[in-house]
Amino acid sequence: MKISYNWLKQFINTELNTEEISQILTAIGLEVESVEKVQTVPGGLEGLMIGYVKECVQHPNADRLRITKVDVGAGEDLQVVCGAANVAAGQKVVVATVGTTVHPLSGEPFKINKSKIRGEVSEGMICAEDEIGLGSSHEGIMVLDSTALVGTAAKEYFQISDDYLFEIGLTPNRADAASHLGVARDLAAYLRTGITLPDISAFKIENTSLSIPVKVENPQACARYTSVTITGVEVKDSPDWLKDKLKVIGVRPINNIVDVTNYVLHELGQPLHAFDADEIKGGEVIVKNCADATSFISLDEIERKLSSEDLMICNAEAPMCIAGVFGGIGSGVKASTTKVFLESAYFNSVSVRKTSKRHGLKTDASFRFERGTDPEMTVFALKRAALLIKDVAGGEISSEISDVYPSPISAFKVSVFYKNIHRLIGEAIPEQTIKDIINALGITIKEENTDGLVLEVPSFKVDVTREVDIVEEVLRIYGYNNIAIPSQIRASLNTSVKPDKETVQNQVADLLSANGFSEILSNSLTKAAYDQNPDTAVKILNPLSSDLDTMRQTLLYSGLEAISYNQNRKKADLKLYEFGKVYSVAENGYDESFRLAIFVTGRNFTQQWNHNNSLVSFYNLKAAVDAIVKRLTVSGLTESVFENANYQQGHQYKKGEQTLVSFGAVSKAVLKKLDIDKEVFFADFNWDLVLKAIRKNKIVFKDVPKTPSVRRDLSLLIDRNITFNQLQSLALKTEKSILKEVNVFDVYEGEKLSGNKKSYALSFLLQDEEKTLTDKQIDSVMSRLISIFEKELGAEIRK
């Protein structure tokens, strides 16, 4: 949210500079994210002077140029070559002297240098209005009034003032601070001073020639609706002061009527809407819900189909405006408008939020209505806007104020006890200080006793409804930094669960990062189109958008979205991992499980002259999975193949009946959903089960073996359906004592092999940690292995 320093000072009389105000606002909960110097005219006319043209003669070497002598009050006249047709002696003009940076209306700023133009020295530039950002005309130089004082800074002559813009990171609960008035209230509470509200005492009804009745059919969605009419207005550009105010906070001026409504919104926090009264068919305004699928064309010229839950401002024939969100194409103020119907209402925040999200419309008005506005501000803001419209557009107030308020909203009553304030804050604050802060915040003390206070909370503080909210208000104005840090810290010793989840996660993250993987973090919200099982999907009741309406059931799609995003930006070689939760509906509520996802795609290595350009394969993914399993010393796993819609062919490691990790190439159907045309390999660890599997692991230190290891190789001819995992498991089961490792170093399948056969070349690493192995022991082990392979798997030993 943008707050103007000069505008803020209209509410509160303070000499604090921007740095001091920034620190105070941040300390009381309105975090100032940045402070920026802003000027209504680019460059602020810095370096420009008012000059007097003493002489103007024809340039000897150019028909369209003239040589002038200009007095800028510096004691010595400047020679300036000028190409404007209207330049003449005796004029008061704006001069950019040497060294000045000029900021034109279009194009880049440029610096004025002393130069020669067609052989004649030029020591500055006589300016046109578009050359210094004061207008769009380039028909000639600006000729000023003869009363302009020579040597006066142009910035002073045109009354250009500097301002500073606070960018405040407003939290959703602070609707009361969504305006200059709201920020001023908080600042005044901290400084224990008052604020000055705009004067509306001049408001009066001049006639009742245009009374438009209002009927509210849905008071739950519109608790209060106030309005007034103004006739005889002239729609035109706003005066400079109004345009400058809006420009500083980043609001584009439109016309004087609309600019007033925007001005009051940012000044007081109350959204307003101005209708062309001649477009109100039937001469009445009805606040109601329209039928489903009613057609409505909004200000952005988009035809929208309304929901029966959308609250609309209608005339007798058709809807004119989406209440609290956006206006309609036909009912708004236009150049021909002479009669204005001005609306100031209090709409239900939930109703506005749902409508805003349903239509994908985010406006300054909906931003405030969604968070909650002040029902007691509607009339004040209406009078303020009506007076401003009279000031900038003329006209007369031509109706009584219509105020439809069937059930007035009562102020909150809250009881607060001193002991609870001291307990929650952690420090005993003097009771008088507490009362001073409460009064400064605009909260009324209705009753007082030795134990505490009974308070009446003003309607603009929509987030203060409980005792703990009062405590928070007191603390932020008292100052978090004023609470002393205790010198003694009390703590209790707790036994931690083994293994430590964060430690294990960091170990694996370090392992993957060291091997070239990048960690990603993605949103837990995703789109319903990704649901694997719609019946168990956790739906969001108030989704931010249709793309964020479901809690994710897998980490697969968030990772694929990251891959698609990168591949579309020519970053195709990716190795990614993510830790995160997935969600589903269970029999007894909801289920959350923590997962680790790994993704590899593209080339195995970055393209270089000394590397080949081979693509990653299933075995690159399997190597990463195995590295994690080995690092965590997960034992007793069995590998199997399974069918799953996410994989072309899925593999899984199971411990008992539980699947710890599944992995494989992502199916083409899934890749097509995200327009990915390259192969992607994906592994999904059930991290909760992994932690459970290593819960009883103990670190054991062993001496480095003093005896050498021995390697023996075997070449086997086996059936194609036999896996290496079967061979490895059978070998380790046969020789548990001295067989340390079994590896495959060659696989051959081809026409030269008879039947449905393949050839495996295996290596066996044998070692006795107590003594050196003899040939007899080694041969005995190898004989047993050959025998068991032949007997159990039908293997043939290739000589």
Side-chain angles (χ1 to χ4, degrees):
M1 187 184 67
K2 295 177 171 61
I3 295 294
S4 158
Y5 174 67
N6 291 343
W7 201 342
L8 192 63
K9 289 178 68 175
Q10 292 179 0
F11 286 99
I12 183 169
N13 184 21
T14 178
E15 296 303 319
L16 294 174
N17 60 38
T18 55
E19 180 62 30
E20 292 168 327
I21 289 178
S22 176
Q23 291 176 357
I24 291 171
L25 292 178
T26 299
I28 61 178
L30 298 176
E31 183 182 1
V32 177
E33 297 175 341
S34 66
V35 181
E36 177 188 357
K37 184 178 180 179
V38 291
Q39 296 159 319
T40 53
V41 175
L45 305 185
E46 296 287 351
L48 300 177
M49 307 297 292
I50 305 301
Y52 175 70
V53 182
K54 287 185 172 182
E55 298 178 14
C56 180
V57 298
Q58 183 65 44
H59 194 295
N61 303 318
D63 293 339
R64 296 187 178 183
L65 298 179
R66 291 172 177 80
I67 300 174
T68 65
K69 294 290 184 181
V70 184
D71 177 12
V72 293
E76 186 176 341
D77 295 343
L78 302 178
Q79 178 170 299
V80 179
V81 177
C82 181
N86 66 329
V87 65
Q91 293 174 335
K92 298 286 182 71
V93 294
V94 179
V95 182
T97 56
V98 172
T100 299
T101 299
V102 176
H103 296 257
L105 196 63
S106 59
E108 295 297 320
F110 59 92
K111 188 175 182 180
I112 301 298
N113 297 310
K114 185 176 181 179
S115 61
K116 281 190 175 184
I117 301 176
R118 293 291 184 94
E120 297 294 331
V121 173
S122 182
E123 300 174 296
M125 183 177 79
I126 302 176
C127 304
E129 64 178 40
D130 68 325
E131 291 171 331
I132 55 177
L134 287 178
S136 58
S137 173
H138 194 69
E139 294 179 358
I141 61 169
M142 293 183 71
V143 179
L144 308 180
D145 190 90
S146 60
T147 59
L149 294 177
V150 173
T152 303
K155 179 176 183 178
E156 180 182 339
Y157 177 81
F158 290 104
Q159 298 180 341
I160 303 299
S161 61
D162 293 336
D163 200 352
Y164 293 87
L165 190 67
F166 298 102
E167 185 74 42
I168 294 178
L170 194 67
T171 53
N173 64 312
R174 291 304 310 277
D176 62 301
S179 65
H180 285 78
L181 171 60
V183 174
R185 281 195 190 112
D186 264 17
L187 186 59
Y190 180 87
L191 298 174
R192 308 292 198 279
T193 188
I195 59 172
T196 302
L197 289 172
D199 183 12
I200 59 170
S201 60
F203 181 88
K204 65 177 182 179
I205 311 302
E206 292 162 291
N207 61 69
T208 55
S209 62
L210 185 62
S211 295
I212 298 178
V214 175
K215 181 166 65 173
V216 177
E217 294 185 0
N218 186 350
Q220 288 74 35
C222 177
R224 189 175 195 180
Y225 193 95
T226 61
S227 60
V228 73
T229 62
I230 307 165
T231 60
V233 301
E234 180 186 359
V235 178
K236 57 185 178 180
D237 278 351
S238 296
D240 288 341
W241 72 264
L242 179 53
K243 290 195 285 189
D244 291 346
K245 284 283 190 184
L246 296 177
K247 286 177 183 177
V248 164
I249 58 172
V251 176
R252 180 176 62 87
I254 298 172
N255 60 53
N256 50 358
I257 306 296
V258 175
D259 290 350
V260 164
T261 63
N262 285 331
Y263 179 87
V264 173
L265 179 147
H266 289 280
E267 180 185 50
L268 304 177
Q270 174 62 43
L272 306 171
H273 193 76
F275 297 88
D276 186 333
D278 288 333
E279 298 294 336
I280 302 176
K281 308 301 182 186
E284 67 173 335
V285 170
I286 307 168
V287 183
K288 64 178 183 178
N289 298 84
C290 295
D292 257 328
T294 298
S295 179
F296 175 74
I297 301 177
S298 51
L299 271 174
D300 53 5
E301 300 182 355
I302 295 175
E303 183 176 357
R304 303 177 187 276
K305 296 299 181 182
L306 300 177
S307 163
S308 60
E309 295 182 1
D310 295 333
L311 186 69
M312 303 297 295
I313 311 300
C314 307
N315 57 38
E317 299 177 7
M320 300 187 296
C321 174
I322 304 176
V325 181
F326 211 40
I329 191 67
S331 61
V333 172
K334 41 194 172 289
S336 59
T337 298
T338 59
K339 302 173 185 176
V340 170
F341 175 85
L342 191 60
E343 162 198 288
S344 178
Y346 175 79
F347 297 117
N348 179 274
S349 59
V350 175
S351 172
V352 172
R353 182 167 59 250
K354 287 183 176 180
T355 296
S356 172
K357 287 178 177 162
R358 187 178 298 115
H359 295 287
L361 291 169
K362 284 289 182 184
T363 61
D364 285 336
S366 70
F367 175 86
R368 286 156 179 82
F369 280 127
E370 286 177 19
R371 287 156 175 77
T373 55
D374 180 8
E376 300 305 316
M377 180 55 70
T378 56
V379 173
F380 186 95
L382 191 71
K383 290 180 177 180
R384 170 67 167 159
L387 289 172
L388 287 172
I389 288 174
K390 282 191 62 179
D391 184 42
V392 301
E396 297 180 336
I397 297 172
S398 300
S399 73
E400 298 286 345
I401 289 180
S402 171
D403 188 3
V404 182
Y405 197 15
S407 302
I409 298 171
S410 302
F412 292 112
K413 292 286 183 69
V414 179
S415 297
V416 59
F417 295 94
Y418 292 126
K419 66 177 182 179
N420 290 337
I421 295 176
H422 302 328
R423 177 177 59 84
L424 290 172
I425 290 177
E427 185 173 299
I429 298 176
E431 292 180 6
Q432 188 57 48
T433 301
I434 293 173
K435 289 187 285 185
D436 289 344
I437 291 173
I438 287 172
N439 284 321
L441 286 166
I443 300 172
T444 305
I445 299 175
K446 303 297 288 184
E447 298 177 26
E448 181 180 356
N449 55 50
T450 56
D451 295 328
L453 307 166
V454 177
L455 307 175
E456 186 174 87
V457 181
S459 54
F460 62 80
K461 286 194 169 294
V462 295
D463 68 318
V464 181
T465 58
R466 305 166 298 168
E467 181 184 31
V468 69
D469 298 327
I470 297 292
V471 176
E472 182 184 3
E473 291 289 286
V474 170
L475 176 57
R476 67 183 185 83
I477 299 301
Y478 181 76
Y480 295 99
N481 294 334
N482 292 327
I483 305 300
I485 298 175
S487 57
Q488 183 181 14
I489 298 177
R490 295 184 176 90
S492 58
L493 296 176
N494 295 317
T495 56
S496 58
V497 178
K498 299 292 184 180
D500 183 82
K501 180 179 178 180
E502 283 71 27
T503 299
V504 175
Q505 183 174 325
N506 288 337
Q507 288 174 347
V508 173
D510 290 344
L511 171 67
L512 290 169
S513 296
N515 282 276
F517 285 81
S518 298
E519 185 172 8
I520 61 174
L521 295 171
S522 55
N523 200 334
S524 296
L525 299 176
T526 186
K527 59 178 69 173
Y530 294 158
D531 289 350
Q532 295 179 305
N533 187 347
D535 294 335
T536 61
V538 180
K539 300 291 185 181
I540 304 300
L541 295 178
N542 55 338
L544 296 173
S545 70
S546 58
D547 287 341
L548 300 171
D549 59 356
T550 307
M551 301 294 285
R552 64 186 176 192
Q553 293 180 296
T554 173
L555 298 182
L556 172 62
Y557 289 98
S558 55
L560 292 179
E561 284 181 339
I563 289 171
S564 176
Y565 182 89
N566 279 273
Q567 288 186 350
N568 290 338
R569 287 156 181 80
K570 309 302 181 184
K571 184 73 175 176
D573 306 327
L574 299 167
K575 297 167 75 175
L576 309 174
Y577 70 95
E578 178 177 13
F579 287 97
K581 289 183 178 180
V582 298
Y583 309 85
S584 61
V585 177
E587 291 183 5
N588 299 319
Y590 298 96
D591 180 63
E592 288 185 21
S593 65
F594 202 71
R595 320 288 285 204
L596 164 63
I598 299 175
F599 303 85
V600 290
T601 185
R603 287 190 295 261
N604 202 13
F605 298 101
T606 303
Q607 194 169 12
Q608 295 181 13
W609 66 271
N610 59 347
H611 281 167
N612 61 34
N613 293 326
S614 62
L615 300 176
V616 295
S617 67
F618 167 80
Y619 295 102
N620 295 104
L621 176 70
K622 189 174 186 297
V625 171
D626 289 343
I628 293 172
V629 170
K630 184 176 181 180
R631 176 65 182 84
L632 299 180
T633 61
V634 183
S635 58
L637 297 181
T638 58
E639 182 180 1
S640 60
V641 177
F642 74 107
E643 295 294 326
N644 185 284
N646 288 336
Y647 299 101
Q648 295 181 35
Q649 184 181 46
H651 293 252
Q652 59 186 4
Y653 285 162
K654 301 180 73 173
K655 189 174 180 68
E657 295 300 317
Q658 294 180 320
T659 301
L660 268 62
V661 56
S662 59
F663 54 98
V666 179
S667 73
K668 292 181 179 179
V670 171
L671 295 178
K672 188 177 180 181
K673 287 183 181 180
L674 292 103
D675 295 324
I676 297 174
D677 56 5
K678 293 180 174 58
E679 198 166 28
V680 178
F681 299 93
F682 165 64
D684 179 21
F685 282 85
N686 187 324
W687 202 246
D688 296 326
L689 294 181
V690 170
L691 293 176
K692 183 179 178 182
I694 63 173
R695 186 171 52 194
K696 296 182 179 180
N697 283 4
K698 293 183 179 179
I699 298 175
V700 178
F701 295 93
K702 296 175 66 176
D703 291 332
V704 177
K706 297 178 182 179
T707 57
S709 59
V710 176
R711 170 175 165 163
R712 289 288 186 270
D713 297 340
L714 276 181
S715 181
L716 306 174
L717 191 65
I718 56 177
D719 292 337
R720 285 190 179 181
N721 61 349
I722 295 174
T723 64
F724 167 71
N725 190 53
Q726 290 176 274
L727 292 166
Q728 184 185 46
S729 300
L730 186 57
L732 293 173
K733 180 180 177 182
T734 302
E735 177 51 58
K736 300 178 180 179
S737 178
I738 62 174
L739 180 59
K740 303 300 182 183
E741 292 182 16
V742 181
N743 295 299
V744 57
F745 62 88
D746 187 42
V747 179
Y748 175 74
E749 296 182 57
E751 297 177 357
K752 296 181 180 180
L753 298 180
S754 60
N756 192 25
K757 298 288 186 180
K758 63 181 176 181
S759 174
Y760 265 17
L762 305 179
S763 66
F764 301 87
L765 194 69
L766 303 108
Q767 186 180 43
D768 189 329
E769 297 178 3
E770 300 296 329
K771 59 186 178 180
T772 303
L773 291 171
T774 64
D775 288 340
K776 184 176 181 180
Q777 289 175 298
I778 295 168
D779 292 341
S780 175
V781 170
M782 296 306 298
S783 295
R784 291 207 312 277
L785 291 174
I786 291 170
S787 176
I788 199 70
F789 288 154
E790 291 175 338
K791 180 179 178 181
E792 296 289 336
L793 303 176
E796 298 179 28
I797 307 302
R798 304 186 72 187
K799 304 296 185 182

